[in-house]
Amino acid sequence: LAAGGGSSVHLFQRNSSTPAWNHATGGFAVRAVALSADGGRVAAGAEDGAIRFFHRNSSTPLWTATAGNVVPALALSSDGDWLAAGSDDDHIYLFSTSDGREVWSQLAGGALRSVAIAPDGEWVTGGGDGARLLLLRRDGEAPLWERAAGDKVLAVALGGNTVASGSADGHLWLHDADGNLLWSHDAGDWVVAVGVSAGGGQIVAGVEDGRVLGFTRDSGTPAWSYAAGDQLTALALSADGYRTAVGTEDGSVRLLENGSLRWSYSAEGEIAALALSADGEWLAVGSWDESVYLFRSNSATPLWSFATDGVVTSVAIAPSGDWVASGGHGGVLRLFTRNASTPAWSYDFGSVIPAVALSGTGVAAGDGGGTVRLFTVDSATPLWSYAAGDAIRALALAGEGVAV
């Protein structure tokens, strides 16, 4: 587990709440962290523009680089060999982690809000306030292409040989990896969420006014369109692009299959969170009606629901769909099996839980008071807990819960 709290970077192993090491950044807040797939390498970006790279065995950085302003976005390739960084100095950077060498930097025309890197480090993309989407190759400083997005880039997604982006001027853009604009579509309102199937053949876009649009890679004319009728608040896409889950402000949950409504369900409050299992068979829902729900794809009747003591703002589901975790304003982390509405166990954090993460064997949660706890699915006794000193907003579990 890599964590940034206040002006320190912390690294944990699963079996101990005592950090394996801490690194102080000299009083500058840590704004981004990234962890390699095997947990062996760690990167951190700070408010002063410093980018530090560590091996998990030492709190002494292997190297430090400097951007021209705050670094709010980092992404590591799966093997940890390549690091992409986005900065408020309007640049995207790529580093070789073996020696800290800056491979290139590219002006993006505005502060970067998100960056992504392909698993093999071959491609880098990013967007932000500059209203431009860029795609770059690892071996070339100049972008393979860049595209004026018309307004702020709100969402980007990659799949196969396909790059999708949505902007605040209402456009969905689709490019191939060679920089060719395949098509664009004017949705007429903010495109707040996009998804691309693993093979790149199916694209879905969520529009703020509640419309969901489905496309094939071959055409900018929607293959299907679905009007949810209220402001979109949550969206989830299955890995094969076949199923899309949609949540709206009026409390409706809808499951679409290739754009056709399979079923709908009305909760008593705004939908705050959705999570689909890897195969799209199981859907977990968190709502402002203070309940967590589990659905199977073939039925609008919840397999079960459970009334909590606060708004459910975070849900997670294991890739297999066997386990569901929930957290929210009530401050209680709950773990369910998919076959029972009674929690297998619960743990009271005593503070709002904005973030939960779930793997096949591990559960992690972070609260508004800055505490992170790691559990196995078998026990409500934390493997460890750690006080990070500030509210936890995001968590991710690597592999089978071996690192957080």
Side-chain angles (χ1 to χ4, degrees):
L1 165 64
S7 56
S8 294
V9 185
H10 316 277
L11 186 73
F12 302 86
Q13 291 181 312
R14 180 173 64 179
N15 59 1
S16 176
S17 65
T18 301
W21 51 255
N22 304 301
H23 178 87
T25 59
F28 296 99
V30 177
R31 294 288 299 275
V33 293
L35 186 68
S36 63
D38 64 359
R41 283 171 274 193
V42 182
E47 200 168 42
D48 63 347
I51 300 166
R52 296 172 172 86
F53 189 77
F54 307 83
H55 190 277
R56 68 183 175 195
N57 293 333
S58 175
S59 64
T60 301
L62 294 172
W63 51 263
T64 301
T66 303
N69 208 326
V70 179
V71 179
L74 292 171
L76 268 168
S77 60
S78 293
D79 58 12
D81 288 344
W82 306 96
L83 174 66
S87 172
D88 280 7
D89 69 2
D90 302 352
H91 282 78
I92 301 175
Y93 297 84
L94 183 68
F95 298 92
S96 167
T97 63
S98 62
D99 54 9
R101 172 178 57 90
E102 182 183 307
V103 179
W104 48 253
S105 65
Q106 176 62 44
L107 186 65
L112 273 296
R113 297 300 171 219
S114 61
V115 295
I117 191 167
D120 61 3
E122 187 67 26
W123 307 92
V124 179
T125 187
D129 292 353
R132 296 163 69 198
L133 174 72
L134 296 91
L135 184 72
L136 305 102
R137 284 186 68 97
R138 180 177 74 198
D139 56 5
E141 179 174 351
L144 283 175
W145 52 263
E146 58 184 89
R147 178 73 183 188
D151 207 333
K152 294 181 180 180
V153 177
L154 302 177
V156 296
L158 298 111
N161 194 36
T162 306
V163 183
S165 62
S167 70
D169 72 349
H171 278 84
L172 172 69
W173 308 92
L174 198 74
H175 296 82
D176 66 18
D178 294 324
N180 300 309
L181 177 64
L182 300 177
W183 48 258
S184 66
H185 179 80
D186 186 354
D189 201 350
W190 286 17
V191 178
V192 296
V194 295
V196 180
S197 63
Q202 305 293 322
I203 297 91
V204 66
V207 187
E208 190 178 41
D209 63 11
R211 286 174 295 131
V212 184
L213 307 175
F215 303 82
T216 67
R217 190 175 186 272
D218 298 328
S219 175
T221 300
W224 54 263
S225 175
Y226 185 84
D230 204 0
Q231 184 172 332
L232 190 81
T233 55
L235 186 74
L237 180 68
S238 62
D240 62 4
Y242 178 62
R243 293 192 175 102
T244 304
V246 183
T248 52
E249 192 173 37
D250 64 0
S252 295
V253 181
R254 295 172 172 88
L255 187 69
L256 311 179
E257 294 181 341
N258 280 343
S260 297
L261 179 65
R262 178 64 186 263
W263 52 255
S264 65
Y265 178 84
S266 294
E268 297 297 322
E270 177 181 324
I271 304 305
L274 296 170
L276 273 167
S277 60
D279 60 5
E281 280 295 314
W282 305 93
L283 172 65
V285 178
S287 172
W288 279 74
D289 67 7
E290 303 187 355
S291 293
V292 56
Y293 303 83
L294 183 69
F295 297 85
R296 192 163 189 177
S297 64
N298 61 1
S299 176
T301 301
L303 188 65
W304 51 256
S305 64
F306 182 86
T308 72
D309 50 0
V311 176
V312 180
T313 55
S314 54
V315 293
I317 193 164
S320 63
D322 290 338
W323 301 93
V324 175
S326 70
H329 291 184
V332 178
L333 171 67
R334 294 178 173 88
L335 184 76
F336 305 84
T337 69
R338 72 181 180 202
N339 296 322
S341 62
T342 302
W345 55 256
S346 61
Y347 186 94
D348 190 352
F349 275 60
S351 179
V352 175
I353 301 174
V356 296
L358 185 58
S359 69
T361 59
V363 186
D367 69 19
T371 299
V372 181
R373 292 182 172 91
L374 182 67
F375 306 79
T376 68
V377 295
D378 300 320
S379 174
T381 301
L383 292 173
W384 51 258
S385 64
Y386 181 75
D390 205 348
I392 306 301
R393 299 300 181 202
L395 289 172
L397 274 168
E400 288 300 298
V402 297
V404 185

